Amino acid sequence: MADQQPGEQPDTPQTQSVNAVDRYFKITERGSTFAREARGGVVTFFTMAYIVVLNPIIIGGIPGEPKNADVLGNVLPLAQVAAVTALVAGVMTIVFGMVARYPFAIATGLGINSLLAVSVAPQVTWPEAMGLVVVDGIIIVLLAVTGFRTAVFNAVPDELKAAIAAGIGCFIAFIGFVDAGFVKRIPDAAKTTVPVQLGIDNSIATYPTLIFAIGVLLMGVLMVRKVPGGLLIGIVITTVISIIIEATTGIGSSRDNTHGWNLSVPELPSSLGSLPNLSLVGDVDLFGAFTRIGVLSASVLVFALVLSNFFDAMGTMTGLGKEGGLADEKGNLPDIGKALVVEGTGAIAGGVGSASSNTVFVESASGIAEGARTGLANVVTGVLFLVAMFFTPLYEIVPLEAVSPALVVVGALMIGQVRSIDFTKFEYALPAFLTIVAMPFTYSIANGIGLGFIAWVVLATAKGKWRTVHPLLWGVAVIFVLYFARGPISDLLN
């Protein structure tokens, strides 16, 4: 205590531990507080907790039914998938927060789990499909450890990084609109040239959609008034209103009633929870798919998984870093190498856990909008996921319609990144535009990045500036051309 100033109180063990946490996570250095990190972690959890309910629907199934059955007719039981989804998300989110120290939560990626259910599982068994996910994760980690992922990350021009961030803003807002039923796909039987519509018959005709609309305006007002915890307050208020409406009307789920709730029905649980069934952990066949369908066919599937994982994560971290003010003046994240290694490990963990590949979730932007700037927010989010394994009904109370408004508000914040793009130069404008619009229109961050990269290389060449394009950008553009043409290429090879 020789350096203690006159009149200054000595540190107690408690304040010393608090200061150690502050220094480790760089909370003060990044302009945050413990309260903001806690709020941000809670908001991130509630905006992405739906994955614990949705992932079982996408890759899980009921024994004896053909939906999501593998080549042998077996399915992944719904309750077990929910348990491992929460487990892997909780563990990997905490690990990412502790190692990378960024507020980017991790959970099962929606693109990859859909790919597994639709394209992979019908050809192989589920353990073999998860084996391909593990192989994908190993490749991603090797690419990160060797510095290749970081090099590609840093080779992206500033204009495209801004476009990626803005595109992610549009994408998550669109996710919010669709999840809340505010935007609906018109059935093909309608024979209309318009593929989507507002609500039902272009009107807000349901209570859940009304809740969403109220939530957007409420959270917007709270943001304008700079109310601390505005997004979290908005989620709580709209959830309470939803519970009251469900108790009064009993409209139930949209699976039984077109006017019902889109996923979780906001009902008070009859029981708080039970022990999770983690029997799917470790049920993996690493090389079985290569034997069953051949090395070439299995390699094509792994290629699709790697490319989707690689660029979804890169794009998401680019957008989240820029939005949180965590990137440097060139749009690069400090210590991005560690973050990319941990993110790649999420794919391995997801495969081993039979939860599908885990990756950084774009919904983390909601926690960043709430003030989260460090990995401490991730620790909060991860702990809540682990608790969710035991108390499933508690997070099922919150309907998608109550959390989707937060995604729209965050989208409005992120679209502001377009201000750093010079749209007067068409060689910048078209690649940026394609990046931004392709993400929501194709429901894929990787697709938007791929189209942007290809357009950037082509227009730079047309402008006579091909030498200014980073060699890695050329290589990645060629890889994306192959990725987009993988269907015809696969047909030719077969």
Side-chain angles (χ1 to χ4, degrees):
M1 294 298 178
D3 58 349
Q4 181 182 329
Q5 300 298 316
E8 186 179 301
Q9 296 295 321
D11 283 347
T12 65
Q14 181 177 3
T15 59
Q16 287 177 350
S17 63
V18 169
N19 291 337
V21 173
D22 189 328
R23 287 193 299 271
Y24 181 79
F25 287 108
K26 302 180 181 180
I27 296 173
T28 301
E29 181 181 329
R30 293 181 183 173
S32 186
T33 64
F34 282 89
R36 288 179 185 174
E37 296 301 308
R39 286 201 308 267
V42 172
V43 169
T44 294
F45 170 76
F46 279 111
T47 54
M48 62 186 286
Y50 70 86
I51 193 62
V52 185
V53 180
L54 186 57
N55 194 40
I57 294 175
I58 293 176
I59 68 172
I62 300 173
E65 292 190 3
K67 183 179 181 295
N68 296 336
D70 64 16
V71 68
L72 299 180
N74 298 319
V75 297
L76 299 175
L78 297 174
Q80 285 92 315
V81 174
V84 295
T85 300
L87 172 66
V88 178
V91 171
M92 289 310 306
T93 295
I94 292 173
V95 170
F96 191 93
M98 294 296 295
V99 176
R101 289 182 272 190
Y102 286 121
F104 307 162
I106 289 180
T108 300
L110 284 176
I112 295 240
N113 62 4
S114 298
L115 179 64
L116 286 178
V118 175
S119 301
V120 180
Q123 303 180 57
V124 299
T125 67
W126 273 112
E128 291 166 353
M130 293 304 170
L132 292 178
V133 173
V134 173
V135 172
D136 154 51
I138 293 172
I139 294 173
I140 290 289
V141 169
L142 290 175
L143 292 174
V145 170
T146 58
F148 181 77
R149 289 189 84 186
T150 303
V152 172
F153 191 97
N154 294 336
V156 179
D158 293 346
E159 291 80 9
L160 280 183
K161 285 178 179 172
I164 289 170
I168 288 174
C170 293
F171 181 44
I172 63 174
F174 191 57
I175 290 174
F177 285 131
V178 172
D179 285 351
F182 192 81
V183 171
K184 285 183 175 290
R185 186 178 70 86
I186 298 176
D188 296 336
K191 296 180 180 179
T192 176
T193 57
V194 181
V196 293
Q197 65 180 4
L198 185 152
I200 297 177
D201 296 327
N202 283 317
S203 67
I204 301 176
T206 69
Y207 285 117
T209 308
L210 176 62
I211 287 292
F212 167 77
I214 292 172
V216 171
L217 296 177
L218 173 61
M219 292 182 194
V221 169
L222 293 173
M223 293 291 287
V224 168
R225 300 296 300 177
K226 300 186 184 302
V227 176
L231 296 183
L232 181 57
I233 293 171
I235 291 173
V236 172
I237 291 176
T238 50
T239 298
V240 171
I241 297 174
S242 300
I243 293 172
I244 294 172
I245 288 177
E246 176 59 26
T248 305
T249 64
I251 54 179
S253 170
S254 62
R255 292 188 292 272
D256 305 315
N257 175 10
T258 56
H259 288 63
W261 306 93
N262 203 25
L263 188 61
S264 299
V265 178
E267 297 175 315
L268 294 177
S270 57
S271 61
L272 289 180
S274 59
L275 290 175
N277 185 333
L278 301 176
S279 59
L280 289 178
V281 175
D283 188 15
V284 179
D285 186 340
L286 196 58
F287 301 111
F290 293 88
T291 301
R292 184 179 298 277
I293 61 176
V295 174
L296 183 59
S297 296
S299 297
V300 170
L301 294 175
V302 170
F303 174 72
L305 292 172
V306 169
L307 210 63
S308 181
N309 253 358
F310 190 108
F311 288 101
D312 267 6
M314 190 193 80
T316 301
M317 284 195 268
T318 296
L320 296 177
K322 288 181 72 68
E323 185 59 29
L326 302 171
D328 60 23
E329 63 278 1
K330 294 182 178 180
N332 299 326
L333 282 170
D335 292 326
I336 185 61
K338 290 192 297 185
L340 292 172
V341 170
V342 178
E343 188 279 332
T345 306
I348 299 175
V352 171
S354 297
S356 182
S357 176
N358 274 231
T359 187
V360 171
F361 247 56
V362 70
E363 282 85 352
S364 302
S366 60
I368 291 173
E370 196 61 70
R373 294 294 181 271
T374 79
L376 183 59
N378 258 36
V379 174
V380 174
T381 303
V383 168
L384 290 174
F385 266 116
L386 296 179
V387 171
M389 290 194 302
F390 299 89
F391 298 99
T392 300
L394 290 181
Y395 68 79
E396 285 187 338
I397 293 174
V398 183
L400 278 178
E401 291 81 0
V403 296
S404 294
L407 302 182
V408 175
V409 171
V410 172
L413 295 173
M414 296 188 71
I415 193 65
Q417 296 292 338
V418 297
R419 61 182 174 271
S420 60
I421 303 171
D422 186 356
F423 281 98
T424 63
K425 297 180 178 178
F426 198 69
E427 65 269 27
Y428 296 166
L430 182 61
F433 176 73
L434 290 175
T435 299
I436 292 170
V437 300
M439 289 186 187
F441 289 168
T442 68
Y443 231 63
S444 168
I445 293 172
N447 286 347
I449 293 174
L451 292 177
F453 281 11
I454 294 170
W456 184 276
V457 169
V458 171
L459 295 192
T461 302
K463 189 73 174 178
K465 296 181 177 180
W466 63 270
R467 290 185 181 87
T468 65
V469 179
H470 196 288
L472 281 176
L473 209 61
W474 276 99
V476 172
V478 171
I479 291 173
F480 265 114
V481 170
L482 296 175
Y483 174 70
F484 291 136
R486 67 189 184 278
I489 291 174
S490 180
D491 292 339
L492 286 175
L493 292 175
N494 291 329

